[in-house]
Amino acid sequence: MRAKVAEHWDTQLVIYGSGTLTQLHANAQSAVVFLRARALTRPVLKVFQVPFRHPDEAAVVKDFERLLTRQGGRGEHGYVLREVPSPEQGLYFDRFDPHILQRREDLAGFGAVNELGDLFTFHRTAFSEAALQRGKQLTSPKDPGAVRIVRPRDIGRDGTLAPPSEETQWASIPGDLQLAPGGPGDSPHDRPGRGAPTRLLHRRGHRRAAPCRRI
């Protein structure tokens, strides 16, 4: 359909909005497309998204009026494309939004992307304090099989763990549900007294740790 339209028409403006059509759900999104008969020189494409229930409608109107005079760049609610996408590409708002494209470029600087399943083994066993109490798994750090429960505030910005405190909890957890050696927690602070490394458990759903480097 888009290819057939592009043979005879140039798309000049696309306006998206939610809640603009009566007798439809407020989340239903509509699009208005403005076309011009195909010419030798193709116009720039302007895309605008009407914000839903914006507190300052006059500001939205002014932003739209500024977009109509633009030949490039981005406003608060819309942007201009100097290079018009091919008919095979969809024109939904986020696809060519300069802000989103810039964020993608920034994220690319973090390096390779891996699926979490390739880095961690996830267990859906609940390790909340209430569940541990019901299972009578809470214990003392003097227990040879004690596992330290690591909370988010126990982990410093540099990736090290704070020493155990009076608030630190310990539990008896099966070995296959504990963090693996070489991951977070393999440090002097995590040795409860007999020289053996403390086995760690994350309270909000355990994940087995693999050696990692900080970005």
Short mmCIF file of all heavy atoms in Angstrom, two decimals, residues 107-157:
data_model
loop_
_atom_site.label_atom_id
_atom_site.label_comp_id
_atom_site.label_asym_id
_atom_site.label_seq_id
_atom_site.Cartn_x
_atom_site.Cartn_y
_atom_site.Cartn_z
N LEU A 107 24.07 4.01 23.74
CA LEU A 107 24.10 2.67 24.30
C LEU A 107 25.09 1.78 23.57
O LEU A 107 25.68 0.87 24.16
CB LEU A 107 22.70 2.05 24.25
CG LEU A 107 21.67 2.64 25.21
CD1 LEU A 107 20.30 2.03 24.94
CD2 LEU A 107 22.07 2.40 26.66
N ALA A 108 25.28 2.03 22.27
CA ALA A 108 26.23 1.22 21.51
C ALA A 108 27.64 1.37 22.05
O ALA A 108 28.48 0.48 21.89
CB ALA A 108 26.18 1.61 20.03
N GLY A 109 27.91 2.51 22.71
CA GLY A 109 29.24 2.73 23.27
C GLY A 109 29.55 1.85 24.46
O GLY A 109 30.71 1.77 24.89
N PHE A 110 28.54 1.17 25.01
CA PHE A 110 28.78 0.29 26.15
C PHE A 110 29.41 -1.03 25.73
O PHE A 110 29.86 -1.80 26.57
CB PHE A 110 27.47 0.01 26.89
CG PHE A 110 27.03 1.15 27.77
CD1 PHE A 110 26.05 2.04 27.35
CD2 PHE A 110 27.61 1.34 29.01
CE1 PHE A 110 25.64 3.09 28.16
CE2 PHE A 110 27.21 2.39 29.82
CZ PHE A 110 26.23 3.27 29.39
N GLY A 111 29.43 -1.31 24.45
CA GLY A 111 30.05 -2.55 23.99
C GLY A 111 29.02 -3.58 23.57
O GLY A 111 27.87 -3.26 23.28
N ALA A 112 29.47 -4.83 23.53
CA ALA A 112 28.61 -5.91 23.05
C ALA A 112 27.42 -6.14 23.98
O ALA A 112 27.50 -5.87 25.18
CB ALA A 112 29.43 -7.20 22.93
N VAL A 113 26.35 -6.62 23.41
CA VAL A 113 25.13 -6.89 24.16
C VAL A 113 24.95 -8.40 24.27
O VAL A 113 25.03 -9.12 23.26
CB VAL A 113 23.90 -6.26 23.47
CG1 VAL A 113 22.63 -6.62 24.23
CG2 VAL A 113 24.07 -4.75 23.37
N ASN A 114 24.72 -8.88 25.48
CA ASN A 114 24.49 -10.31 25.71
C ASN A 114 23.16 -10.50 26.41
O ASN A 114 22.74 -9.66 27.21
CB ASN A 114 25.60 -10.90 26.59
CG ASN A 114 26.96 -10.83 25.93
OD1 ASN A 114 27.13 -11.28 24.81
ND2 ASN A 114 27.93 -10.25 26.61
N GLU A 115 22.50 -11.59 26.10
CA GLU A 115 21.27 -11.91 26.80
C GLU A 115 21.59 -12.34 28.22
O GLU A 115 22.61 -13.00 28.48
CB GLU A 115 20.52 -13.04 26.08
CG GLU A 115 20.00 -12.64 24.70
CD GLU A 115 19.14 -13.72 24.08
OE1 GLU A 115 18.89 -14.73 24.78
OE2 GLU A 115 18.72 -13.56 22.94
N LEU A 116 20.72 -11.95 29.17
CA LEU A 116 20.97 -12.29 30.56
C LEU A 116 21.05 -13.79 30.76
O LEU A 116 21.80 -14.28 31.61
CB LEU A 116 19.86 -11.71 31.45
CG LEU A 116 19.88 -10.19 31.64
CD1 LEU A 116 18.70 -9.76 32.51
CD2 LEU A 116 21.19 -9.74 32.27
N GLY A 117 20.30 -14.53 29.96
CA GLY A 117 20.33 -15.99 30.08
C GLY A 117 21.68 -16.59 29.74
O GLY A 117 22.00 -17.69 30.17
N ASP A 118 22.49 -15.85 28.95
CA ASP A 118 23.83 -16.33 28.62
C ASP A 118 24.83 -16.05 29.74
O ASP A 118 25.91 -16.63 29.77
CB ASP A 118 24.33 -15.68 27.33
CG ASP A 118 23.49 -16.08 26.12
OD1 ASP A 118 22.86 -17.16 26.18
OD2 ASP A 118 23.44 -15.31 25.15
N LEU A 119 24.48 -15.13 30.64
CA LEU A 119 25.40 -14.73 31.70
C LEU A 119 25.02 -15.29 33.06
O LEU A 119 25.88 -15.49 33.91
CB LEU A 119 25.46 -13.19 31.79
CG LEU A 119 25.87 -12.45 30.51
CD1 LEU A 119 25.77 -10.95 30.74
CD2 LEU A 119 27.28 -12.84 30.10
N PHE A 120 23.74 -15.52 33.29
CA PHE A 120 23.27 -15.94 34.60
C PHE A 120 22.30 -17.11 34.47
O PHE A 120 21.63 -17.27 33.46
CB PHE A 120 22.54 -14.79 35.33
CG PHE A 120 23.38 -13.57 35.55
CD1 PHE A 120 23.28 -12.49 34.70
CD2 PHE A 120 24.27 -13.51 36.61
CE1 PHE A 120 24.06 -11.35 34.91
CE2 PHE A 120 25.05 -12.39 36.82
CZ PHE A 120 24.95 -11.31 35.96
N THR A 121 22.25 -17.90 35.53
CA THR A 121 21.23 -18.93 35.68
C THR A 121 20.23 -18.42 36.70
O THR A 121 20.59 -18.15 37.84
CB THR A 121 21.84 -20.25 36.16
OG1 THR A 121 22.79 -20.71 35.20
CG2 THR A 121 20.74 -21.31 36.33
N PHE A 122 19.00 -18.26 36.29
CA PHE A 122 17.98 -17.69 37.16
C PHE A 122 17.17 -18.79 37.84
O PHE A 122 16.76 -19.76 37.19
CB PHE A 122 17.04 -16.78 36.37
CG PHE A 122 17.69 -15.51 35.91
CD1 PHE A 122 18.34 -15.45 34.69
CD2 PHE A 122 17.66 -14.38 36.71
CE1 PHE A 122 18.94 -14.29 34.27
CE2 PHE A 122 18.26 -13.22 36.29
CZ PHE A 122 18.91 -13.16 35.07
N HIS A 123 16.93 -18.60 39.12
CA HIS A 123 16.09 -19.52 39.88
C HIS A 123 14.91 -18.73 40.42
O HIS A 123 15.08 -17.64 40.96
CB HIS A 123 16.87 -20.13 41.06
CG HIS A 123 18.06 -20.94 40.64
ND1 HIS A 123 17.99 -22.28 40.34
CD2 HIS A 123 19.35 -20.58 40.45
CE1 HIS A 123 19.19 -22.72 39.99
NE2 HIS A 123 20.03 -21.71 40.05
N ARG A 124 13.72 -19.26 40.26
CA ARG A 124 12.52 -18.55 40.67
C ARG A 124 12.12 -18.83 42.12
O ARG A 124 11.04 -18.48 42.55
CB ARG A 124 11.35 -18.89 39.73
CG ARG A 124 11.61 -18.47 38.29
CD ARG A 124 10.39 -18.66 37.42
NE ARG A 124 10.64 -18.24 36.06
CZ ARG A 124 10.56 -16.99 35.63
NH1 ARG A 124 10.22 -16.03 36.47
NH2 ARG A 124 10.80 -16.69 34.37
N THR A 125 13.00 -19.47 42.86
CA THR A 125 12.71 -19.72 44.27
C THR A 125 12.64 -18.41 45.03
O THR A 125 13.50 -17.56 44.88
CB THR A 125 13.81 -20.61 44.88
OG1 THR A 125 13.94 -21.78 44.08
CG2 THR A 125 13.46 -21.01 46.30
N ALA A 126 11.62 -18.25 45.86
CA ALA A 126 11.47 -17.02 46.63
C ALA A 126 12.35 -17.06 47.87
O ALA A 126 12.35 -18.04 48.61
CB ALA A 126 10.01 -16.84 47.04
N PHE A 127 13.13 -16.01 48.10
CA PHE A 127 14.00 -15.94 49.26
C PHE A 127 13.67 -14.72 50.11
O PHE A 127 14.57 -14.04 50.60
CB PHE A 127 15.47 -15.90 48.84
CG PHE A 127 15.98 -17.20 48.32
CD1 PHE A 127 16.41 -17.31 47.01
CD2 PHE A 127 16.01 -18.33 49.12
CE1 PHE A 127 16.88 -18.52 46.52
CE2 PHE A 127 16.47 -19.53 48.63
CZ PHE A 127 16.91 -19.63 47.34
N SER A 128 12.40 -14.41 50.23
CA SER A 128 12.02 -13.31 51.10
C SER A 128 12.21 -13.73 52.55
O SER A 128 12.31 -14.92 52.88
CB SER A 128 10.56 -12.93 50.86
OG SER A 128 9.70 -14.00 51.24
N GLU A 129 12.27 -12.75 53.42
CA GLU A 129 12.47 -13.05 54.84
C GLU A 129 11.34 -13.92 55.38
O GLU A 129 11.57 -14.84 56.16
CB GLU A 129 12.56 -11.74 55.62
CG GLU A 129 12.87 -11.92 57.09
CD GLU A 129 13.09 -10.60 57.80
OE1 GLU A 129 13.29 -9.59 57.11
OE2 GLU A 129 13.07 -10.58 59.04
N ALA A 130 10.11 -13.62 54.95
CA ALA A 130 8.97 -14.40 55.42
C ALA A 130 9.07 -15.86 54.97
O ALA A 130 8.80 -16.78 55.75
CB ALA A 130 7.66 -13.78 54.91
N ALA A 131 9.51 -16.07 53.71
CA ALA A 131 9.63 -17.44 53.20
C ALA A 131 10.72 -18.19 53.94
O ALA A 131 10.58 -19.38 54.25
CB ALA A 131 9.92 -17.41 51.70
N LEU A 132 11.82 -17.52 54.25
CA LEU A 132 12.91 -18.17 54.98
C LEU A 132 12.49 -18.52 56.40
O LEU A 132 12.88 -19.55 56.94
CB LEU A 132 14.15 -17.27 54.99
CG LEU A 132 14.81 -17.06 53.62
CD1 LEU A 132 15.90 -16.01 53.72
CD2 LEU A 132 15.38 -18.37 53.09
N GLN A 133 11.68 -17.65 57.01
CA GLN A 133 11.20 -17.94 58.36
C GLN A 133 10.25 -19.12 58.36
O GLN A 133 10.32 -19.98 59.25
CB GLN A 133 10.52 -16.68 58.94
CG GLN A 133 11.49 -15.58 59.32
CD GLN A 133 10.78 -14.35 59.85
OE1 GLN A 133 9.57 -14.18 59.64
NE2 GLN A 133 11.51 -13.49 60.54
N ARG A 134 9.36 -19.17 57.36
CA ARG A 134 8.43 -20.29 57.29
C ARG A 134 9.18 -21.60 57.10
O ARG A 134 8.80 -22.63 57.65
CB ARG A 134 7.43 -20.08 56.14
CG ARG A 134 6.38 -19.02 56.40
CD ARG A 134 5.24 -19.13 55.40
NE ARG A 134 5.71 -18.98 54.03
CZ ARG A 134 5.78 -17.82 53.40
NH1 ARG A 134 5.41 -16.71 54.01
NH2 ARG A 134 6.21 -17.76 52.14
N GLY A 135 10.24 -21.56 56.32
CA GLY A 135 11.01 -22.77 56.08
C GLY A 135 12.05 -23.04 57.14
O GLY A 135 12.82 -24.00 57.02
N LYS A 136 12.09 -22.20 58.17
CA LYS A 136 13.05 -22.33 59.26
C LYS A 136 14.49 -22.41 58.72
O LYS A 136 15.30 -23.21 59.16
CB LYS A 136 12.73 -23.56 60.10
CG LYS A 136 11.36 -23.49 60.78
CD LYS A 136 11.09 -24.73 61.62
CE LYS A 136 9.72 -24.64 62.30
NZ LYS A 136 9.44 -25.83 63.14
N GLN A 137 14.77 -21.53 57.74
CA GLN A 137 16.09 -21.52 57.11
C GLN A 137 17.01 -20.44 57.67
O GLN A 137 18.20 -20.48 57.41
CB GLN A 137 15.93 -21.33 55.59
CG GLN A 137 15.26 -22.50 54.89
CD GLN A 137 14.94 -22.19 53.45
OE1 GLN A 137 13.93 -21.57 53.15
NE2 GLN A 137 15.82 -22.61 52.56
N LEU A 138 16.44 -19.47 58.38
CA LEU A 138 17.29 -18.43 58.98
C LEU A 138 18.15 -19.06 60.06
O LEU A 138 17.68 -19.88 60.85
CB LEU A 138 16.42 -17.30 59.56
CG LEU A 138 15.68 -16.44 58.52
CD1 LEU A 138 14.85 -15.38 59.23
CD2 LEU A 138 16.67 -15.77 57.57
N THR A 139 19.41 -18.67 60.12
CA THR A 139 20.34 -19.30 61.06
C THR A 139 21.34 -18.27 61.56
O THR A 139 21.19 -17.07 61.33
CB THR A 139 21.07 -20.48 60.38
OG1 THR A 139 21.88 -21.13 61.34
CG2 THR A 139 21.91 -20.02 59.20
N SER A 140 22.37 -18.73 62.23
CA SER A 140 23.39 -17.87 62.82
C SER A 140 24.65 -17.92 61.96
O SER A 140 24.93 -18.93 61.31
CB SER A 140 23.72 -18.36 64.24
OG SER A 140 24.93 -17.78 64.70
N PRO A 141 25.45 -16.83 61.96
CA PRO A 141 26.71 -16.86 61.19
C PRO A 141 27.69 -17.90 61.71
O PRO A 141 28.63 -18.26 61.01
CB PRO A 141 27.25 -15.44 61.35
CG PRO A 141 26.59 -14.90 62.57
CD PRO A 141 25.23 -15.52 62.60
N LYS A 142 27.45 -18.40 62.93
CA LYS A 142 28.34 -19.43 63.48
C LYS A 142 28.05 -20.80 62.90
O LYS A 142 28.85 -21.72 63.04
CB LYS A 142 28.20 -19.46 65.01
CG LYS A 142 28.63 -18.16 65.69
CD LYS A 142 28.48 -18.26 67.19
CE LYS A 142 28.91 -16.96 67.88
NZ LYS A 142 28.75 -17.05 69.36
N ASP A 143 26.89 -20.93 62.24
CA ASP A 143 26.55 -22.21 61.62
C ASP A 143 27.52 -22.46 60.46
O ASP A 143 27.69 -21.61 59.59
CB ASP A 143 25.11 -22.15 61.10
CG ASP A 143 24.61 -23.48 60.59
OD1 ASP A 143 25.45 -24.30 60.12
OD2 ASP A 143 23.40 -23.72 60.63
N PRO A 144 28.19 -23.63 60.41
CA PRO A 144 29.14 -23.92 59.32
C PRO A 144 28.53 -23.79 57.93
O PRO A 144 29.23 -23.50 56.97
CB PRO A 144 29.58 -25.36 59.60
CG PRO A 144 29.32 -25.56 61.06
CD PRO A 144 28.10 -24.74 61.38
N GLY A 145 27.24 -23.99 57.80
CA GLY A 145 26.60 -23.89 56.49
C GLY A 145 25.90 -22.56 56.26
O GLY A 145 25.06 -22.45 55.36
N ALA A 146 26.24 -21.56 57.07
CA ALA A 146 25.54 -20.27 56.98
C ALA A 146 25.82 -19.58 55.65
O ALA A 146 26.95 -19.56 55.16
CB ALA A 146 25.96 -19.36 58.13
N VAL A 147 24.79 -19.01 55.08
CA VAL A 147 24.88 -18.25 53.84
C VAL A 147 24.46 -16.82 54.13
O VAL A 147 23.38 -16.58 54.68
CB VAL A 147 23.95 -18.85 52.76
CG1 VAL A 147 23.96 -18.00 51.50
CG2 VAL A 147 24.37 -20.27 52.45
N ARG A 148 25.30 -15.89 53.78
CA ARG A 148 24.97 -14.48 54.02
C ARG A 148 23.96 -14.01 52.97
O ARG A 148 24.09 -14.27 51.79
CB ARG A 148 26.22 -13.61 53.92
CG ARG A 148 25.93 -12.12 54.11
CD ARG A 148 27.19 -11.29 53.95
NE ARG A 148 26.89 -9.88 53.98
CZ ARG A 148 27.78 -8.91 53.79
NH1 ARG A 148 29.05 -9.24 53.53
NH2 ARG A 148 27.44 -7.65 53.82
N ILE A 149 22.93 -13.29 53.43
CA ILE A 149 21.95 -12.71 52.52
C ILE A 149 22.41 -11.31 52.18
O ILE A 149 22.53 -10.44 53.04
CB ILE A 149 20.55 -12.67 53.17
CG1 ILE A 149 20.09 -14.10 53.50
CG2 ILE A 149 19.56 -11.98 52.24
CD1 ILE A 149 18.75 -14.15 54.19
N VAL A 150 22.70 -11.09 50.91
CA VAL A 150 23.21 -9.80 50.45
C VAL A 150 22.05 -8.93 49.98
O VAL A 150 21.27 -9.34 49.12
CB VAL A 150 24.22 -9.99 49.30
CG1 VAL A 150 24.71 -8.64 48.79
CG2 VAL A 150 25.40 -10.83 49.79
N ARG A 151 21.98 -7.73 50.53
CA ARG A 151 20.96 -6.77 50.13
C ARG A 151 21.61 -5.71 49.25
O ARG A 151 22.82 -5.52 49.28
CB ARG A 151 20.32 -6.14 51.37
CG ARG A 151 19.73 -7.16 52.33
CD ARG A 151 19.10 -6.48 53.51
NE ARG A 151 18.62 -7.45 54.48
CZ ARG A 151 17.92 -7.13 55.57
NH1 ARG A 151 17.64 -5.87 55.81
NH2 ARG A 151 17.51 -8.07 56.40
N PRO A 152 20.80 -4.97 48.47
CA PRO A 152 21.39 -3.95 47.58
C PRO A 152 22.29 -2.96 48.30
O PRO A 152 23.33 -2.57 47.78
CB PRO A 152 20.15 -3.27 46.98
CG PRO A 152 19.11 -4.34 46.99
CD PRO A 152 19.36 -5.13 48.25
N ARG A 153 21.92 -2.56 49.52
CA ARG A 153 22.74 -1.56 50.22
C ARG A 153 24.07 -2.13 50.71
O ARG A 153 24.95 -1.38 51.14
CB ARG A 153 21.96 -0.99 51.40
CG ARG A 153 21.58 -1.99 52.48
CD ARG A 153 20.98 -1.27 53.67
NE ARG A 153 20.50 -2.18 54.69
CZ ARG A 153 19.24 -2.59 54.79
NH1 ARG A 153 18.35 -2.17 53.91
NH2 ARG A 153 18.86 -3.44 55.74
N ASP A 154 24.23 -3.46 50.65
CA ASP A 154 25.50 -4.07 51.04
C ASP A 154 26.57 -3.94 49.96
O ASP A 154 27.75 -4.18 50.23
CB ASP A 154 25.31 -5.56 51.36
CG ASP A 154 24.40 -5.78 52.57
OD1 ASP A 154 24.37 -4.89 53.44
OD2 ASP A 154 23.73 -6.83 52.62
N ILE A 155 26.17 -3.58 48.74
CA ILE A 155 27.10 -3.53 47.61
C ILE A 155 27.50 -2.08 47.37
O ILE A 155 26.67 -1.21 47.15
CB ILE A 155 26.46 -4.12 46.34
CG1 ILE A 155 25.97 -5.54 46.61
CG2 ILE A 155 27.45 -4.09 45.18
CD1 ILE A 155 25.22 -6.16 45.47
N GLY A 156 28.81 -1.81 47.44
CA GLY A 156 29.32 -0.46 47.24
C GLY A 156 29.38 -0.08 45.77
O GLY A 156 29.22 -0.91 44.88
N ARG A 157 29.62 1.20 45.51
CA ARG A 157 29.70 1.69 44.14
C ARG A 157 30.88 1.08 43.38
O ARG A 157 30.87 1.01 42.15
CB ARG A 157 29.82 3.22 44.13
CG ARG A 157 28.55 3.92 44.59
CD ARG A 157 28.69 5.43 44.47
NE ARG A 157 27.47 6.11 44.87
CZ ARG A 157 26.44 6.35 44.05
NH1 ARG A 157 26.52 5.97 42.79
NH2 ARG A 157 25.37 6.98 44.47
#
